[in-house]
Amino acid sequence: MTHPRKTPVLVDCDTGIDDAMALLYLSAHDDVELVGVTTVFGNNTARQCAVNSLRVLELVGRTDVPVAVGAERPLVGEVTYLATHVHGSDGLGDAGLPLDVTARPVEETAVELIDRLSTEHAGELRILAIGPLTNLAHALEAIYGLTDRVHDVVIMGGAADAPGNQSPAAEANIIHDPEGAQTVISAAWETTLVPLDVTMREVLTDDHRTALDADGSPEAAFVSAATEFYFAAYGTESYGHRSSPCHDALAAGVLTGDVVPVTAPVIDVVVDCTDGPGRGATICDTRTRYRGFTDITGGNCRVVLETDGGFPEVLVAALTAGTPA
Ligand code: RIB
Ligand code: CA
């Protein structure tokens, strides 16, 4: 019996709590081959995010996945903050996950790993970008023909009609590196943006944590423990009750097809790279809303504007599929 070919996926991330959810969710997906991870500053330093990615992958026995350390600063300017207030000082919710992983990041840089994997999987490689887009911007600059080698890029980031989370106008991944984001979104490859408009409406609650706690697997226990920190960060400030989004995991669900968007037109997206109050905003041309959100001819990005809200249950099912309750 021939097995269907797995889809090669590279994750570019700033492994934090929801990045970890995305890595574990993809690892549990039989039709996905997680071929590599590149890390970037954002939730923590790129190097700490690499260690965090290795810590998480070790939970599910995936120490074979190459993890490369990427950019520690944006294309323009310096790092303005690291989101330790949202993801904890270690980046994984200070949930006690052992720091002494056996695996180490590879010697390759993030750009070198992207170059190698996009050559090995030319035309098929899918990229899940769930941190600031600096690594991909550097890769576009350094690797001739990269957009032809990459099947598509699914990005967690931005806000179309919703407010930002790092400022009223800007979402964290984008405002960390607006110039990098503009470079990636405007490049000649297929991009899908999964913005706060949908990620803030797919909410994890204590019911989901109860299901994770009942599972008994190390990955479910870790996600439950780390999400406690996330609940504290998002619960009072954003939702007013104990809960959190699962931003990056939802983007991973869009990539796998587990999440079938209700509304996702191909439209024009421009990133505000000025130094005003709108810096880092993703200006999405949603003016086709009055005719059913039809696509804009020549639009540069598919933007997921509406999903059905059922992903948290899909995520919990994936995280608890490995072991009996
Ligand atoms: O704004 C949410 C995004 O910023 C997520 O990717 C989170 O992990 C942080 O990187
Ligand atoms: Ca992230």
Side-chain angles (χ1 to χ4, degrees):
M1 178 183 138
T2 56
H3 294 283
R5 284 169 65 86
K6 291 191 170 195
T7 301
V9 176
L10 163 71
V11 178
D12 186 68
C13 53
D14 57 343
T15 303
I17 296 168
D18 58 327
D19 307 70
M21 293 176 189
L23 289 172
L24 293 170
Y25 164 78
L26 289 177
S27 301
H29 233 275
D30 289 341
D31 58 359
V32 164
E33 182 188 359
L34 182 58
V35 294
V37 173
T38 49
T39 64
V40 60
F41 77 96
N43 290 330
N44 215 294
T45 64
R47 178 152 296 275
Q48 182 61 38
C49 294
V51 170
N52 289 347
S53 302
L54 292 165
R55 293 164 75 190
V56 168
L57 290 169
E58 187 154 284
L59 275 178
V60 288
R62 289 304 314 273
T63 53
D64 59 297
V65 177
V67 177
V69 180
E72 293 286 12
R73 62 186 51 77
L75 292 191
V76 173
E78 293 303 326
V79 178
T80 53
Y81 77 100
L82 296 176
T84 50
H85 59 297
V86 178
H87 294 266
S89 56
D90 77 339
L92 291 178
D94 300 330
L97 197 63
L99 273 164
D100 55 346
V101 281
T102 51
R104 291 282 177 272
V106 294
E107 289 301 313
E108 290 162 299
T109 65
V111 170
E112 288 165 343
L113 186 57
I114 292 168
D115 190 9
R116 172 162 69 87
L117 293 174
S118 63
T119 301
E120 291 172 4
H121 303 280
E124 296 183 343
L125 183 68
R126 304 190 68 187
I127 297 178
L128 178 68
I130 51 179
L133 294 167
T134 315
N135 288 336
L136 297 190
H138 282 312
L140 284 165
E141 178 69 27
I143 304 167
Y144 179 75
L146 179 62
T147 56
D148 296 329
R149 300 186 203 169
V150 171
H151 180 275
D152 69 316
V153 186
V154 177
I155 301 164
M156 190 279 137
D161 298 326
N165 57 5
Q166 189 48 36
S167 78
E171 178 278 327
N173 286 340
I174 307 298
I175 198 170
H176 271 304
D177 191 344
E179 289 76 11
Q182 177 59 33
T183 300
V184 170
I185 290 171
S186 60
W189 48 16
E190 186 183 322
T191 53
T192 299
L193 193 69
V194 184
L196 295 175
D197 303 63
V198 291
T199 66
M200 287 300 287
R201 296 192 183 282
E202 297 268 1
V203 179
L204 291 172
T205 67
D206 275 315
D207 288 345
H208 298 113
R209 295 187 63 237
T210 301
L212 291 170
D213 290 338
D215 180 61
S217 68
E219 62 268 30
F222 158 69
V223 170
S224 176
T227 308
E228 180 58 33
F229 196 101
Y230 224 25
F231 276 22
Y234 272 96
T236 45
E237 185 183 318
S238 299
Y239 293 113
H241 55 82
R242 283 177 54 81
S243 52
S244 81
C246 49
H247 301 290
D248 295 340
L250 182 68
V254 170
L255 182 146
T256 64
D258 278 347
V259 175
V260 179
V262 175
T263 308
V266 176
I267 58 176
D268 265 338
V269 177
V270 174
V271 180
D272 183 333
C273 294
T274 66
D275 287 331
R279 180 166 176 77
T282 44
I283 302 163
C284 299
D285 186 350
T286 58
R287 287 176 291 180
T288 62
R289 70 178 62 238
Y290 305 114
R291 54 179 194 271
F293 278 111
T294 52
D295 291 353
I296 290 178
T297 307
N300 65 358
C301 186
R302 180 177 299 280
V303 179
V304 181
L305 294 172
E306 189 182 356
T307 56
D308 69 4
F311 182 70
E313 288 72 27
V314 173
L315 175 62
V316 169
L319 295 175
T320 57
T323 56

